[in-house]
């Protein structure tokens, strides 16, 4: 068991550092060929922050560990919303842009509701499966979301981006290749040892996915949002969380189900309803107290809800 825990931690470190190295190398390569900051942000950085979840889910999907697939995404989204945004809001109250209030937060809620409908096959009663057709629908919506972000960035005034460290061509390719290797090896270590731990502990893959793996793959979002909150850059702190939750459902589950149809365990409905509730609560918080602002007490409430939820799901396993 000790060895499995160590290998799981090594896998998580490789996932996070691999994504970081790949983003650094790819961003430098894009800069070298004069690709715009906008294009880099919408493609390379966006993929990099979602890479840990994506790699874990691809392995899990291909190996038939379907509870890990859903547990990772749903767990990551709940951690993003309740824990990371809660911590960021405790550090400094989050002032939110109008577009985030009226567009991104509702879109995040729509993504969660759509996932419930598709996974439970409420539209076409058959079995609880996220099919390849469902995957195509999710990926089409992901493409639409990218187009929306592109249009939004064209209309918004952007601050000049700080100069990034420049790498030599050899360094760039080493970063990209080593980063990709870290993602591949780390993903395999995480999935293999998470399944072994679940078996040894006698707990379900659902719990492992919702807690340990979800927290591990959410570390990049945690670091980004906490640092942004400390620097009082609210747009990055909030946008990072809402954008990540949309990415996880549309892109990660879209790719995973396209590779192999994923059986959905209805026990996840409770966790999905919590995600919908939390997103709705965030939207309502924009109109209580000072408008378009997540106050500290509201952020604290998000954290308390997650603590209660975690105690509940663990107690169900005991």
């Amino acid at each position: 068991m000790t060895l499995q825990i160590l290998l799981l931690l090594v896998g998580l470190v490789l996932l996070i550092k691999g994504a970081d190295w790949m983003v650094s190398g790819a961003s430098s390569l894009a800069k070298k060929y004069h690709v715009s900051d906008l294009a880099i942000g919408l493609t390379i950085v966006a993929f990099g922050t979602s890479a840990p979840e994506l790699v874990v889910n691809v392995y899990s999907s291909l190996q038939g560990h379907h509870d890990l697939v859903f547990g990772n995404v749903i767990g990551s989204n709940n951690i993003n919303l309740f824990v990371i945004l809660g911590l960021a809001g405790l550090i400094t109250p989050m002032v939110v842009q109008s577009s985030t209030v009226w567009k991104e937060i509702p879109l995040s809620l729509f993504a969660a509701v759509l996932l419930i409908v598709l996974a439970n096959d409420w539209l076409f009663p058959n079995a609880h499966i996220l099919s390849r057709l469902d995957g195509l629908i999710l990926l089409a919506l992901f493409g639409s979301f990218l187009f929306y972000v592109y249009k939004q960035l064209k209309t918004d005034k952007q601050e000049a981006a700080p100069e990034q460290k420049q790498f030599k061509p050899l360094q760039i390719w080493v970063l990209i290749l080593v980063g990709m290797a870290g993602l591949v090896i780390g993903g395999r270590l995480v999935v293999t040892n998470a399944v072994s731990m679940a078996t040894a502990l006698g707990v379900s893959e659902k719990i492992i996915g919702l807690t340990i793996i979800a927290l591990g793959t959410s570390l990049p979002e945690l670091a980004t949002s906490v640092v942004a909150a400390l620097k009082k850059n609210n747009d990055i702190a909030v946008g990072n969380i809402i954008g990540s939750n949309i990415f996880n459902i549309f892109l990660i589950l879209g790719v995973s189900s396209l590779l192999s149809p994923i059986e959905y365990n209805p026990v996840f409905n409770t966790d999905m309803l919590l995600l919908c509730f939390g997103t709705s609560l965030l939207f309502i918080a924009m109109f209580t107290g000072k408008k378009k602002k997540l106050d500290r007490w509201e952020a604290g409430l998000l954290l308390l809800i997650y603590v209660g939820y975690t105690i509940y799901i663990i107690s169900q396993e005991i």
Side-chain angles (χ1 to χ4, degrees), residues 7-20 45-60 67-81 83-84 182-192 194 205-225 240-241 243-245 247-249 252-253 256 306:
L7 289 174
L8 178 69
L9 292 175
V10 169
L12 289 172
V13 170
L14 284 174
L15 278 174
I16 295 163
K17 291 305 297 180
D20 179 43
V45 176
F47 174 77
T49 55
S50 296
E53 286 95 339
L54 179 60
V55 174
V56 167
N57 271 26
V58 166
Y59 271 115
S60 300
D67 280 359
L68 285 184
V69 173
F70 283 107
N72 182 28
V73 166
I74 299 170
S76 291
N77 280 17
N78 277 328
I79 288 173
N80 285 346
L81 183 65
V83 178
I84 300 177
L183 285 170
V184 172
I185 297 170
R188 185 171 181 82
L189 284 173
V190 166
V191 173
T192 302
E205 291 181 6
K206 172 201 170 188
I207 294 297
I208 297 293
L210 285 171
T211 54
I212 298 173
I213 295 180
L215 179 60
T217 56
S218 291
L219 289 177
E221 287 89 349
L222 174 62
T224 301
S225 287
N240 174 49
I241 295 306
S244 178
N245 281 10
F247 262 58
N248 284 348
I249 292 177
I252 309 302
L253 285 180
S256 300
Y306 187 80

Side-chain angles (χ1 to χ4, degrees), residues 220-290:
E221 287 89 349
L222 174 62
T224 301
S225 287
V226 168
V227 170
L230 289 170
K231 294 181 178 179
K232 300 190 183 302
N233 195 330
N234 296 341
D235 289 342
I236 289 179
V238 177
N240 174 49
I241 295 306
I242 301 302
S244 178
N245 281 10
I246 294 170
F247 262 58
N248 284 348
I249 292 177
F250 287 161
L251 174 63
I252 309 302
L253 285 180
V255 170
S256 300
S257 57
L258 198 61
L259 288 173
S260 177
I262 312 167
E263 292 182 16
Y264 178 76
N265 190 337
V267 297
F268 282 113
N269 283 339
T270 301
D271 311 287
M272 285 300 305
L273 289 174
L274 178 73
L275 178 60
C276 293
F277 170 73
T279 309
S280 301
L281 192 63
L282 178 61
F283 182 74
I284 293 170
M286 297 297 100
F287 305 97
T288 59
K290 291 186 178 180

Side-chain angles (χ1 to χ4, degrees), residues 41 108 138 177 193 209 238 279 306 309:
S108 179
L138 293 175
L177 294 174
N193 289 283
V238 177
T279 309
Y306 187 80
Y309 154 77

Side-chain angles (χ1 to χ4, degrees), residues 70 118-121 126-131 134 261-264:
F70 283 107
L118 293 178
N120 284 281
D121 284 311
N126 184 14
H128 296 285
I129 292 177
L130 198 65
S131 66
D134 296 331
I262 312 167
E263 292 182 16
Y264 178 76

